[in-house]
Amino acid sequence: MSKPKVAFFDFACCEGCQLQVANIGESLLDILDIIQVVEFREVMSEKWDGEFDVSFVEGSITDEHAVERIKKIRERSKILVALGSCATIGGVNGMKNCFPLEEVGKYVYGESYKFFPTLQTKAVHQVVPVDYFINGCPVYQPEFITVLKCILQGIPYYVPEYPVCVECKLNENVCMYDRGLTCMGPVTKAGCNSWCINNGNICYGCRGLTINPNTEGFKEVLKKYNIPEDFLMKKIEMYNKCRELDKQ
Amino acid sequence: MAKVVIKDSPYNLKKAKILDVKTLTEKEKLFKLVFEDKTWLDFEPGQFIMVSLMGIGEIPVSICSSPLNRHYFEICVRAVGKVTNSLHKLKTGDIIGVRGPYGNGFPIKMIEGHDLLIIAGGLGIAPLRSLILYSIDNRRDFGEIHILFGCKTPGELLFEDEIEEWGKRLDIHFACTVDRADPDWKGNVGLITSLIPGVDIDPLRTYAAVVGPPVMYKFVIKELLAKGLPVDQILLSFERHMKCGMGKCGRCQIQNLYCCKDGPVFTFKEIMDMAEAL
Amino acid sequence: MKIEQYRILEKSLINEFIDKLTSISKVSAPVYKGFNNYAFHEIKSADEVSLKYIPTIIPPKKYFLPIKETLLDFKKGNEFKVEPTVEYDNIVLFGVHTCDISGIKCLNMVLSDKPKDTGYLVRKKHITIIGLECNDYCDEYASCAFVGAHIPTTGYDLMFTELTDCFIIHIHSSKGMDIIEKTGIFKPADSNNIEELKALRNNKLRIFNNEIPTERRYLPDLFDRSFNASVWKELEQKCLSCGNCTAVCPTCYCFDIKEDVDLSLQSGERYRLWFSCQLDPFAKVAGGIDFRRERSARQRHRFYRKFRYHIDRYGMVFCTGCGRCSRTCMAKINLKEVLTSLIRESEAKIWRKWL
């Protein structure tokens, strides 16, 4: 059986998730034993004009060109994977949606903004169907490998529905709230093995909100820790603004 | 950290070979299995096994063949999740892992000498088929046998050949219904509960065995109680997501009962006051 | 108290003892992590150890029932092969509080119940427990006196109790005796030491008061009356379903079973992973029906598992009074408060009946 043909594409993003993949280290060789990378701008110049078995897409969709391009990629791909926060939940690009498009355009391009038409930021699944989601800013390498293995085995990958706290507690980290810091762990989807907190940072909520967050309860918690509610809402919006488009 | 092999681990698996795969409906397949080491699976009707697809997962599946069959055992699997979908892709000759049987099964010794009313909804026929085949094989040990079977559409009818055979038997009262008929369907239309009032049973000497989707139980029980069946003669088999099968992992716990160990078959009496059961 | 089962260690020698211990075995002990948090970690020398500590983030059950534990190694396909395995470590746990020891006793009960959990039992054989008695409460969250876990009874190999000028050590097993002999810095106890220990235990009865306004023996009744109590509804509003309470509980043992294949996709391992009844997918079945969908039902389930269900099944209360769940809860769900409200509500109902 020939190796599945895999491609990487980027839209509005920092390409940091692809860098994580390129930097996977030792297991990269084993990965290349089982897949054939046919297109990956960040690491190679070759292109492929056939069908892709698996396409990893980094970045969010922010203009008409991108919409057309992602649709074409979708058509050419048997499996489409959203890679990283920008692709899975819109990510930081979503902050654009807090402002009128015109204002955003002017801010970036000045008066010539009319030559650069733009759209509200969307996550990939808000434009085309997505088969697998690898959350995170950037993606967590072990999770990338896990998802890749699921794809190759033809089985689904379920992003954990519970919060980062679950993994964080098992890593026996000192709770950030005990340190007097506001951490997004309690309302953010797990799957990253509390990567940031293990390394002394707070959780920024890059993996998106949990499926069924007790928002009212969380507000009560914030009150107890004297954290203003809008401070938290801003923190949530940093990564999760595009969530509003899911509800429509 | 030292690592050793422990053969007596309760998580050890036996290799089972797929002897045959039969497509029953769009969603369900029947797998005929045999242990590679030629031992047979010693089980009671209503018990379940844990079926493993290595690298994919392990799921509880009820055994649907007769316990008296010493040649092979069967499971009927609906493709709904990761493991079941992968299982559906397997072919004759493929190997899967099996451990078990687990659970209590139907209390055959209690039922013997009584009439039996079997009520199956959809895939609930799977564990009940084991009981039906057993009671047919030991026909003399049972009084009247009634089988009521319901499913959503005629296309979802499982074990069609066997059903036809059961329907023809003179020593079994069989009735079948679908929620929604198609033009070719000539049988009953309506929920399974609609069949119960018409069954001619002596409630005090009848055991009812009920298996079906979670929503079905409340309504069926109501009808059975209206018929006058005593609460300890209504047998229900529950579906929960057992992970260990040994009363440890907690996934199947219904209040103080472990569905995998104390069940999956409970009398209505045991669980009637229990929230979270139905 | 048989005097020959006791030894004395000068207080100044405690560090020397720990250092000697690390030279003969792998040792794990409570280590300070900052912000009033402690954790059991492998230690190399005595200065890492905190002798005075409040219950660690995760209880030492993690050595008996690892957070992630391989159950099977497998090969798939034509070479189908399954090998059940157990990983274990010869390790001494130093400084285990009596609450955590009683947690391990609960786990022993469950995991040696048939079918036996062979992996657990193998690991247990290789672990030595050196207890450290608390002479006073660790903090306001503890309720160890209520469940009777504040006084050492069984379940350890050695038990250290701090007296005025020395530690008195109770030897409770041959594994414990081994350590006494190998380290060779203990002195025999004399009757004065024993008297002081007795006095200390008597004094503890005064210091440790029943923290909850009922007695253990009334728990089954209380919980039988409380399934529909209003407290659970309050918890529905409060609980964030983060699973912290169960992750830190010394008697929680629920788990999930998962698999991992290597990149060849041909071989891999099946493992189990701590899991929690507080989390969304826990009680879901195929088709998406969740038998404990509400947070209130999940919290209630947790309390009933601690205080009711397992009394029938194993004859034990599955709470050790360590207070971890209350200490760690972001929403400040406090076990002592919940029990107290249950008692108040139940009493009110009974009174109403009588009036």
Side-chain angles (χ1 to χ4, degrees):
Chain A
M1 206 175 75
S2 66
K3 292 193 250 179
K5 296 189 171 48
V6 175
F8 289 80
F9 299 99
D10 39 75
F11 288 80
C13 65
C14 71
E15 301 186 21
C17 292
Q18 291 171 83
L19 195 62
Q20 286 293 313
V21 176
N23 269 343
I24 249 166
E26 224 177 300
S27 22
L28 193 60
L29 291 173
D30 295 325
I31 291 173
L32 292 173
D33 270 348
I34 50 171
I35 61 169
Q36 183 193 355
V37 179
V38 292
E39 198 168 329
F40 193 166
R41 198 179 53 84
E42 202 168 282
V43 298
M44 60 197 261
S45 47
E46 289 89 339
K47 297 253 178 193
W48 176 259
D49 52 12
E51 199 179 46
F52 306 110
D53 290 304
V54 187
S55 292
F56 289 91
V57 175
E58 184 182 349
S60 32
I61 310 301
T62 55
D63 61 20
E64 281 300 339
H65 294 295
V67 172
E68 288 315 307
R69 195 170 145 239
I70 189 67
K71 281 182 180 163
K72 283 203 181 109
I73 291 171
R74 175 71 264 192
E75 275 168 25
R76 290 170 64 196
S77 312
K78 285 187 194 149
I79 290 167
L80 188 100
V81 189
L83 185 69
S85 294
C86 300
T88 50
I89 58 169
V92 287
N93 298 322
M95 281 190 279
K96 173 183 175 187
N97 301 0
C98 298
F99 311 97
L101 286 178
E102 202 176 285
E103 194 180 306
V104 173
K106 277 184 189 159
Y107 186 83
V108 178
Y109 299 106
E111 277 317 307
S112 47
Y113 78 94
K114 282 178 188 149
F115 302 108
F116 303 95
T118 186
L119 294 174
Q120 280 210 315
T121 303
K122 282 182 177 158
V124 175
H125 72 272
Q126 291 166 338
V127 183
V128 294
V130 170
D131 303 303
Y132 291 85
F133 292 86
I134 310 178
N135 295 66
C137 178
V139 292
Y140 179 57
Q141 287 169 340
E143 195 187 21
F144 172 82
I145 296 175
T146 303
V147 176
L148 181 68
K149 287 188 287 203
C150 285
I151 296 170
L152 296 175
Q153 289 186 98
I155 55 177
Y157 172 74
Y158 302 111
V159 179
E161 292 175 2
Y162 46 76
V164 174
C165 291
V166 175
E167 292 168 347
C168 189
K169 199 51 74 186
L170 299 186
N171 285 318
E172 258 188 308
N173 292 315
V174 174
C175 181
M176 285 296 159
Y177 288 84
D178 282 358
R179 295 173 188 258
L181 298 168
T182 310
C183 173
M184 297 288 287
V187 288
T188 302
K189 266 186 227 148
C192 56
N193 193 29
S194 65
W195 191 14
C196 293
I197 303 105
N198 299 353
N199 288 290
N201 209 338
I202 57 157
C203 169
Y204 291 99
C206 72
R207 298 176 57 86
L209 293 180
T210 48
I211 302 288
N212 181 20
N214 180 0
T215 339
E216 291 311 306
F218 195 54
K219 283 179 189 162
E220 287 301 309
V221 170
L222 293 175
K223 267 186 214 157
K224 279 173 199 141
Y225 287 95
N226 291 321
I227 299 161
E229 203 181 303
D230 66 322
F231 176 74
L232 178 87
M233 290 323 288
K234 278 183 191 151
K235 270 187 176 273
I236 289 181
E237 281 189 1
M238 183 158 103
Y239 276 102
N240 291 287
K241 188 69 185 169
C242 287
R243 212 167 72 103
E244 292 162 6
L245 301 172
D246 274 337
K247 289 176 191 157
Q248 284 168 11
Chain B
M1 191 76 83
K3 188 171 183 177
V4 290
V5 175
I6 34 168
K7 281 280 173 238
D8 61 344
S9 163
Y11 293 97
N12 202 358
L13 304 172
K14 283 179 97 169
K15 280 200 232 180
K17 191 185 206 160
I18 300 177
L19 281 185
D20 186 37
V21 187
K22 193 173 164 196
T23 304
L24 297 181
T25 71
E26 217 171 276
K27 287 246 153 173
E28 281 102 357
K29 282 187 178 179
L30 181 69
F31 294 85
K32 200 181 269 189
L33 301 168
V34 64
F35 284 132
E36 280 240 305
D37 63 3
K38 308 282 179 223
T39 56
W40 72 69
L41 184 69
D42 205 357
F43 69 96
E44 306 250 342
Q47 282 194 298
F48 67 94
I49 50 173
M50 297 298 291
V51 172
S52 278
L53 292 188
M54 305 324 293
I56 293 167
E58 194 178 36
I59 47 160
V61 187
S62 49
I63 310 156
C64 70
S65 49
S66 166
L68 301 173
N69 184 337
R70 297 293 196 220
H71 305 293
Y72 56 84
F73 57 99
E74 288 172 315
I75 54 173
C76 175
V77 180
R78 176 181 291 174
V80 281
K82 186 162 77 171
V83 180
T84 47
N85 274 307
S86 304
L87 195 57
H88 269 230
K89 288 178 197 153
L90 296 186
K91 302 174 301 294
T92 302
D94 285 340
I95 302 283
I96 61 172
V98 169
R99 59 186 173 95
Y102 295 109
N104 55 0
F106 292 102
I108 295 286
K109 287 283 160 279
M110 253 160 65
I111 304 173
E112 274 173 3
H114 293 80
D115 295 346
L116 183 55
L117 168 59
I118 286 170
I119 302 178
L123 192 54
I125 190 72
L128 287 172
R129 178 176 175 252
S130 181
L131 180 63
I132 294 169
L133 295 177
Y134 178 87
S135 56
I136 288 175
D137 288 341
N138 297 282
R139 189 63 194 86
R140 286 185 313 171
D141 296 340
F142 298 86
E144 297 287 321
I145 297 178
H146 300 265
I147 302 172
L148 308 181
F149 182 28
C151 55
K152 286 199 183 109
T153 62
E156 289 173 33
L157 212 57
L158 292 161
F159 304 110
E160 249 175 306
D161 309 344
E162 285 165 60
I163 282 171
E164 204 172 313
E165 206 180 297
W166 299 338
K168 281 181 194 153
R169 285 183 75 116
L170 297 174
D171 57 352
I172 290 176
H173 309 277
F174 180 84
C176 184
T177 181
V178 295
D179 298 355
R180 280 183 318 263
D182 60 18
D184 296 331
W185 180 251
K186 295 190 180 61
N188 299 305
V189 180
L191 296 177
I192 186 138
T193 39
S194 63
L195 294 180
I196 300 172
V199 188
D200 182 22
I201 52 165
D202 175 354
L204 293 181
R205 42 166 297 145
T206 301
Y207 271 91
V210 186
V211 191
V215 288
M216 189 186 95
Y217 290 100
K218 271 180 202 161
F219 302 102
V220 166
I221 291 166
K222 211 173 142 194
E223 292 293 336
L224 290 176
L225 293 177
K227 271 267 178 204
L229 244 79
V231 284
D232 56 352
Q233 281 171 223
I234 301 176
L235 307 165
L236 312 162
S237 176
F238 286 155
E239 179 197 0
R240 289 294 186 278
H241 200 153
M242 296 99 170
K243 282 279 175 175
C244 72
M246 298 176 276
K248 306 272 196 283
C249 76
R251 296 293 287 271
C252 67
Q253 200 175 0
I254 307 168
Q255 298 209 9
N256 60 343
L257 300 172
Y258 284 96
C259 198
C260 66
K261 206 175 162 186
D262 307 317
V265 179
F266 297 99
T267 64
F268 179 56
K269 191 182 174 186
E270 284 174 280
I271 56 94
M272 57 196 279
D273 294 324
M274 270 189 198
E276 300 168 11
L278 288 171
Chain C
M1 287 182 180
K2 285 186 189 153
I3 197 161
E4 57 272 24
Q5 287 180 356
Y6 287 86
R7 295 289 184 278
I8 294 300
L9 182 71
E10 307 236 346
K11 270 191 188 170
S12 57
L13 292 179
I14 185 75
N15 280 3
E16 194 183 330
F17 165 71
I18 298 171
D19 285 334
K20 282 197 172 189
L21 200 58
T22 56
S23 70
I24 57 173
S25 168
K26 212 183 222 188
V27 180
S28 191
V31 170
Y32 189 54
K33 300 256 290 181
F35 303 91
N36 206 24
N37 278 260
Y38 298 83
F40 271 93
H41 274 319
E42 198 188 327
I43 53 142
K44 292 278 173 249
S45 83
D47 21 303
E48 296 170 57
V49 181
S50 290
L51 284 179
K52 188 108 185 86
Y53 73 100
I54 63 165
T56 49
I57 301 175
I58 283 181
K61 91 172 167 186
K62 66 180 177 183
Y63 295 103
F64 292 80
L65 200 64
I67 293 165
K68 183 187 167 188
E69 175 191 357
T70 307
L71 297 173
L72 303 171
D73 287 324
F74 62 79
K75 277 202 178 95
K76 49 192 280 193
N78 297 337
E79 297 166 70
F80 189 102
K81 195 179 167 194
V82 172
E83 228 165 37
T85 60
V86 57
E87 282 181 322
Y88 64 89
D89 229 345
N90 281 304
I91 192 163
V92 177
L93 305 182
F94 175 77
V96 185
H97 283 167
T98 46
C99 53
D100 285 340
I101 290 172
S102 88
I104 291 161
K105 285 197 297 200
C106 288
L107 294 185
N108 288 345
M109 200 74 181
V110 172
L111 293 152
S112 49
D113 187 21
K114 279 181 187 162
K116 289 183 178 174
D117 197 275
T118 39
Y120 177 89
L121 296 174
V122 168
R123 262 189 310 277
K124 178 173 171 286
K125 247 194 285 180
H126 291 88
I127 300 175
T128 306
I129 300 175
I130 302 183
L132 179 63
E133 187 170 357
C134 300
N135 295 352
D136 204 345
Y137 275 121
C138 48
D139 64 15
E140 73 276 16
Y141 294 108
S143 56
C144 43
F146 173 60
V147 293
H150 59 314
I151 305 266
T153 50
T154 53
Y156 53 84
D157 298 290
L158 292 175
M159 176 57 70
F160 277 58
T161 306
E162 190 174 353
L163 301 177
T164 326
D165 324 292
C166 60
F167 286 96
I168 186 162
I169 293 99
H170 181 220
I171 307 165
H172 202 44
S173 75
S174 54
K175 266 201 257 178
M177 194 62 199
D178 253 15
I179 289 176
I180 296 286
E181 283 168 359
K182 276 186 190 155
T183 48
I185 55 171
F186 294 89
K187 287 195 294 198
D190 62 33
S191 56
N192 288 337
N193 303 131
I194 299 290
E195 283 314 310
E196 200 188 339
L197 179 62
K198 278 184 186 161
L200 182 139
R201 295 266 162 87
N202 278 331
N203 193 37
K204 267 179 85 169
L205 295 179
R206 268 191 291 121
I207 298 171
F208 286 80
N209 292 303
N210 185 2
E211 304 86 356
I212 291 152
T214 186
E215 281 172 48
R216 233 182 315 162
R217 60 192 166 121
Y218 297 131
L219 278 173
D221 269 352
L222 171 68
F223 274 80
D224 285 345
R225 285 195 298 268
S226 301
F227 201 78
N228 296 315
S230 60
V231 188
W232 310 128
K233 285 182 204 90
E234 284 166 35
L235 298 189
E236 172 81 26
Q237 309 300 321
K238 278 182 155 185
C239 176
L240 301 183
S241 299
C242 67
N244 279 355
C245 50
T246 49
V248 301
C249 179
T251 71
C252 275
Y253 54 87
C254 289
F255 53 85
D256 197 7
I257 297 180
K258 294 187 168 189
E259 336 244 314
D260 196 10
V261 287
D262 58 28
L263 281 163
S264 70
L265 306 181
Q266 288 309 306
S267 51
E269 56 166 14
R270 171 170 294 167
Y271 59 93
R272 65 178 174 197
L273 196 66
W274 289 6
F275 203 40
S276 164
C277 58
Q278 301 303 306
L279 305 179
D280 254 334
F282 189 82
K284 258 186 203 162
V285 298
I289 294 174
D290 188 343
F291 287 92
R292 279 187 295 277
R293 204 164 52 82
E294 298 86 17
R295 287 182 251 273
S296 51
R298 295 181 200 168
Q299 278 293 339
R300 176 174 63 199
H301 184 69
R302 174 169 80 92
F303 275 90
Y304 273 77
R305 262 186 79 116
K306 302 299 152 201
F307 295 108
R308 184 67 193 95
Y309 301 152
H310 282 19
I311 292 179
D312 283 349
R313 195 169 277 271
Y314 299 110
M316 290 163 91
V317 175
F318 267 56
C319 175
T320 71
C322 69
R324 280 189 181 88
C325 53
S326 315
R327 222 171 272 126
T328 196
C329 181
M330 298 204 57
K332 306 275 183 241
I333 295 170
N334 184 312
L335 180 126
K336 278 156 72 177
E337 285 169 16
V338 172
L339 288 179
T340 308
S341 351
L342 285 180
I343 294 159
R344 297 278 171 263
E345 190 171 342
S346 173
E347 276 170 357
K349 265 188 215 153
I350 291 170
W351 275 114
R352 236 175 285 140
K353 229 186 203 170
W354 280 92
L355 287 171

